[in-house]
Amino acid sequence: MSEAHERLAHLSPAKRRLLLKVRREQVEAGPRRIPRRAPGDAAPLSFAQQRLWFIDQLQPGSAAYNVPAALRLRGALDARTLRRA
């Protein structure tokens, strides 16, 4: 028996009726949709964007959000392309 079925089996009859009522209402309401923004309205920040903004407020200009990594590259180096990058 799955964990969900086991938990459902242990619900009281009142809680089971309530769960079924809520689920029925969700099905009848249909899928939830993300509302459209009005033209020109700013999109809300993602959690990651909020985090970066918060870190910058604590330490402006800090590179604390960077995750350092080192890579070993093999082959000829094109210095001109590297400078342009």
Side-chain angles (χ1 to χ4, degrees):
M1 183 182 288
S2 73
E3 181 183 347
H5 283 101
E6 190 172 321
R7 291 177 66 191
L8 184 60
H10 287 91
L11 287 178
S12 68
K15 287 184 178 181
R16 188 175 297 142
R17 280 192 303 275
L18 180 59
L19 176 65
L20 292 173
K21 178 182 179 258
V22 169
R23 184 63 187 127
R24 193 176 318 111
E25 289 171 357
Q26 289 174 339
V27 169
E28 289 171 0
R32 295 188 318 184
R33 305 210 190 285
I34 297 173
R36 288 186 182 267
R37 287 182 290 111
D41 282 359
L45 296 178
S46 69
F47 179 74
Q49 290 169 321
Q50 290 177 30
R51 182 177 162 270
L52 291 175
W53 176 88
F54 180 74
I55 290 172
D56 191 60
Q57 298 304 300
L58 291 176
Q59 296 177 331
S62 169
Y65 62 87
N66 287 327
V67 178
L71 300 172
R72 180 177 299 259
L73 302 176
R74 297 177 192 263
L77 175 65
D78 184 342
R80 182 173 173 223
T81 302
L82 181 60
R83 275 192 294 279
R84 288 189 358 229

